[in-house]
Amino acid sequence: MSVMRSRFFWRIYLTFSILFFGITLIVSWAAFFRVQSTVRAGLKSDLRAKIDFIAPYAEDALNVTGAGGFRPEQEIVRRLGATSGTRLTFITPDGRVVADSDADPAHTENHWQRPEVQEALQAPYGFAERFSETVHERMFYVAKAIHRDGKLLGVARVS
């Protein structure tokens, strides 16, 4: 009888252990993705607020750049980026990067076909999450088209 009880006990124990482990795994997986989704939504909202905050500066910088070929002062853009904890990029309609808080604009490639830039031309904001070839890390981008008097001056982007 004792041997029978022992086998029965271990079968029940093993069944409940597997069940417990499986449920724990499923709940952990669901919680991870829920937290990740919440963090991404918060990041998206934060970056939208930051781009709205720097848009007037981007408008002035892109307007001056388009008019006389002046490159915005990199030190100011770097400070804005450092203060806001983001990477800032100002892009002209021909795709040239005229200011970037984390890279030298002279050594950056044309940015006009970037997904967030193209989406910003069609919607109030453009969003993308991808690997940055410029700074060599995965980034989340929010872009906004900058207009003055109905004319497209370029795109401002934060990441």
Side-chain angles (χ1 to χ4, degrees):
M1 187 76 155
S2 157
V3 172
M4 254 337 221
R5 273 192 209 164
S6 180
R7 281 187 188 164
F8 181 71
F9 170 78
W10 287 111
R11 281 184 184 169
I12 297 255
Y13 179 79
L14 186 60
T15 302
F16 279 110
S17 294
I18 290 170
L19 187 61
F20 178 77
F21 179 73
I23 290 171
T24 301
L25 192 63
I26 290 169
V27 169
S28 297
W29 179 77
F32 171 78
F33 284 105
R34 179 69 178 148
V35 167
Q36 187 180 39
S37 173
T38 302
V39 168
R40 279 197 171 116
L43 179 61
K44 195 178 199 181
S45 176
D46 182 51
L47 289 176
R48 258 197 326 248
K50 287 178 180 179
I51 200 159
D52 286 338
F53 180 75
I54 63 116
Y57 177 76
E59 182 181 337
D60 289 341
L62 287 165
N63 190 49
V64 171
T65 301
F70 170 78
R71 245 179 77 194
E73 179 57 47
Q74 276 296 106
E75 187 57 33
I76 294 171
V77 174
R78 281 194 180 104
R79 276 192 248 154
L80 279 171
T83 302
S84 66
T86 57
R87 176 182 173 205
L88 307 177
T89 310
F90 299 159
I91 306 158
T92 61
D94 63 359
R96 285 181 306 122
V97 173
V98 293
D100 192 304
S101 60
D102 290 6
D104 181 0
H107 297 101
T108 56
E109 59 191 33
N110 190 297
H111 278 43
W112 202 248
Q113 293 304 315
R114 302 290 164 92
E116 66 277 3
V117 172
Q118 288 300 303
E119 187 178 345
L121 298 173
Q122 307 299 319
Y125 300 95
F127 303 99
E129 184 178 355
R130 60 181 174 73
F131 184 80
S132 168
E133 295 297 332
T134 306
V135 296
H136 305 292
E137 62 183 271
R138 190 155 185 81
M139 306 285 282
F140 191 84
Y141 296 94
V142 176
K144 182 176 185 172
I146 305 297
H147 296 87
R148 181 176 278 175
D149 300 325
K151 178 185 173 198
L152 177 67
L153 301 176
V155 173
R157 184 181 72 175
V158 297
S159 55

